[in-house]
DNA sequence: CTATATGCAAATAGTTTGCACGGAT
DNA sequence: ATCCGTGCAAACTATTTGCATATAG
């Protein structure tokens, strides 16, 4: 969905600041706050830090943006998308998305615990293909 | 392993403060910083916040303690243990551990991406058995 | 025009650090 | 006597808030 549309759907005005934040997230795929600040200070220097914080929080509330946390790493933000797992390369730190079915695991958990599984957040530590080929 | 032993193995002196921190983690299973502070202020009021921070960081460095992060939630600390996934109840917020094989998923990822999988961090959002039974 | 969003500065929260003292070997 | 760990206060970093102004619809 185009970003203007995405904002309207969520009853947020399409300000240049918001569009810039969304563009930045899109461009990065996964961006830390630091990434966002750095990129924005290049293309929209007057966009203030409080506006970044306020809008990220708002967009997370509305589920337009997701916050992804990895052990021992900074938090990342991404535009919400279909269910996927994260592959994070321990060498170059790049993050890839990967689509995978997890129903069988959920089912196993439900059978063995009696709990009801609602969703999941999966992250795999990898060495990516590119890094492997240069080792 | 008893905590005194655990500390010695990692070349840390077994001070009352460190033992208290480890006991607290053990007692909670998974504890936020806030949990830790609250419990410690009850049983060891003079133990300072900087000592908590310093020791948690040190123990994480030495892999005695692991930091676990969940989207939209505070970070948790746990004494490092065998590979397991986390089940977090969205109603009562309790965290259970669950042991599961993930080799088949790793294999699928490796086949489809060409990456090498080193490890994983899996978290499932659930409604736990207890909460289910009182709904 | 009106409600909402922004920027700035100040407030608040979270974490780390420097240093002098105290306890264990 | 020496080394390491602790507590305290101060420093630093991260995040949120209040308010006057600007702007999208």
């Amino acid at each position: 969905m185009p970003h203007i549309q995405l904002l309207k759907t969520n009853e947020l005005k399409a300000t240049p600041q918001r569009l810039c934040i969304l563009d930045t997230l899109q461009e990065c795929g996964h961006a830390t706050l630091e990434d966002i600040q750095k990129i924005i200070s290049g293309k929209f220097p007057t966009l203030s830090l409080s506006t970044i914080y306020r809008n990220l929080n708002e967009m997370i509330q509305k589920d337009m943006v997701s916050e992804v946390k990895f052990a021992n790493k900074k938090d990342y933000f991404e535009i919400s998308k279909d269910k996927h797992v994260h592959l994070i390369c321990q060498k170059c730190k790049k993050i890839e998305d990967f689509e995978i079915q997890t129903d069988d695991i959920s089912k196993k958990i439900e059978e063995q615990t009696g709990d009801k599984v609602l969703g999941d957040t999966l992250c795999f530590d990898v060495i990516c293909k590119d890094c492997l080929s240069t080792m």
Side-chain angles (χ1 to χ4, degrees), chain A residues 27-112:
Chain A
E27 184 182 325
C28 290
H30 308 81
T32 62
L33 196 78
E34 204 181 1
D35 296 335
I36 297 171
Q37 271 189 82
K38 188 178 303 177
I39 292 174
I40 284 181
S41 76
K43 56 182 180 189
F44 196 153
T46 61
L47 203 171
S48 75
L49 188 52
S50 43
T51 295
I52 297 177
Y53 274 113
R54 258 191 294 235
N55 281 302
L56 283 177
N57 287 339
E58 213 159 19
M59 292 174 185
I60 289 170
Q61 287 309 314
K62 294 179 183 276
D63 251 321
M64 302 164 58
V65 169
S66 309
E67 189 170 12
V68 194
K69 301 183 175 194
F70 302 104
N72 316 318
K73 305 201 173 52
K74 296 204 173 159
D75 300 343
Y76 286 81
F77 300 90
E78 64 180 12
I79 295 182
S80 300
K81 45 197 169 222
D82 286 347
K83 195 158 146 8
H84 61 281
V85 310
H86 291 110
L87 311 182
I88 176 163
C89 177
Q90 300 302 297
K91 192 139 183 286
C92 69
K93 308 297 172 198
K94 196 161 29 67
I95 300 171
E96 309 166 75
D97 292 338
F98 186 74
E99 293 193 23
I100 197 171
Q101 269 297 109
T102 54
D103 297 355
D104 44 340
I105 304 187
S106 302
K107 203 160 150 212
K108 191 181 280 183
I109 292 173
E110 293 185 341
E111 284 167 7
Q112 292 187 33

Side-chain angles (χ1 to χ4, degrees), chain A residues 4-28:
Chain A
I4 293 198
Q5 189 52 43
L6 180 61
L7 287 167
K8 289 201 175 139
T9 304
N10 286 281
E11 298 168 304
L12 293 175
K13 290 186 181 176
T15 63
Q17 288 88 339
R18 282 177 179 147
L19 289 168
C20 179
I21 292 170
L22 288 172
D23 289 347
T24 302
L25 289 175
Q26 181 96 65
E27 184 182 325
C28 290

